[in-house]
Amino acid sequence: VMLHSKNVKVFLENTLKPYDLHSVDFKTSSLQSSILLTATNGGIMSFATSNSDVPKNSINEINSVNNLKMMSLLVKDKWSEDENNTVEQPTNSCYPVEIESFKTKIYTYEMEDLHACVAQIPNSDLLLLFIAESTFPYGLLVIKIERAIRELSDLFGYRLG
Amino acid sequence: NIKGTIAFDSHGNVIESTGVGSTRIEDICELSRVALDAEGFAQVQGDSLLVHLYKRDDVTLAVYT
Amino acid sequence: TNTFTALTTPDSTKISKEQLKRLHSRILDEISSQSQVDKPGPLT
């Protein structure tokens, strides 16, 4: 099965949107990045970033893509470590969730001055990774990524190669 | 009357914070241990603030007045 | 040391239980609706 790369990219772009609440005076920035990566080697399958003003193929854009690659690798390694962590100590940064009777876990990580949130798309070789500024609350990132995963049911069970 | 709010989840992670709540995130540790009544409500006071708590669906809202 | 002490007799002059409940619901409803992600079409 092939990924519909255009629709996947648009979907990731749609996940970047910020919150702007009116019941209380609270708003967030957009996500900095939304990335679909492989759980096997941390390679990036597709990504969207909110700094769209970076000119294409400029040195800045190349740097920011290299940054994303580096962060994706770091998160994938940490995720693998946590997933294989048999000693089930409940931590504040791991949220077991059940989506359409599939189980997965949402992890929150601090990466330098950024907030990262990652979850395996159920039964697949794919991870969804959100990267936001440190002002974006972890609890809200968890809600956001869980809702996004629910919309990715086309990719449940997706296996590479 | 509202001076600020904090909404936090069962892991003690912030969902939103406003006003004085944004400068008192560390209160979550203590507020998450306050005994709630059968309906999920409680009130605590300290630092010349009255904090109204209400928890539902694993999300606790703290309103500072 | 704790900062707060529990109030035994609730003071609902500032905000009533109903208002608190309503604010809690409105915050979660807004977050839920703004968490919705539009899907552009099939992803595979």
Side-chain angles (χ1 to χ4, degrees), chain A residues 25-26 91-92 94-95 137 139, chain B residues 9 11 13-18:
Chain A
D25 178 20
F26 176 78
T91 71
N92 278 353
C94 174
Y95 292 71
Chain B
D9 64 24
H11 287 57
N13 281 319
V14 175
I15 292 171
E16 63 81 18
S17 65
T18 61

Side-chain angles (χ1 to χ4, degrees), chain B residues 5-6 14 17-31 45-49 51 64, chain C residues 3-4:
Chain B
T5 63
I6 303 178
V14 175
S17 65
T18 61
V20 74
S22 302
T23 63
R24 299 185 65 100
I25 300 298
E26 67 285 346
D27 286 351
I28 291 176
C29 197
E30 190 177 340
L31 296 177
Q45 67 181 2
D47 283 352
S48 345
L49 290 163
V51 189
Y64 291 80
Chain C
T3 309
F4 299 106

Side-chain angles (χ1 to χ4, degrees), chain A residues 4 14 17 19-20 23 147, chain C residues 30 34-36 38 42-43:
Chain A
H4 192 306
N14 292 346
K17 62 182 178 178
Y19 288 89
D20 184 2
S23 45
R147 285 297 292 280
Chain C
E30 274 198 291
Q34 293 186 30
S35 299
Q36 186 60 38
D38 300 332
L43 301 177

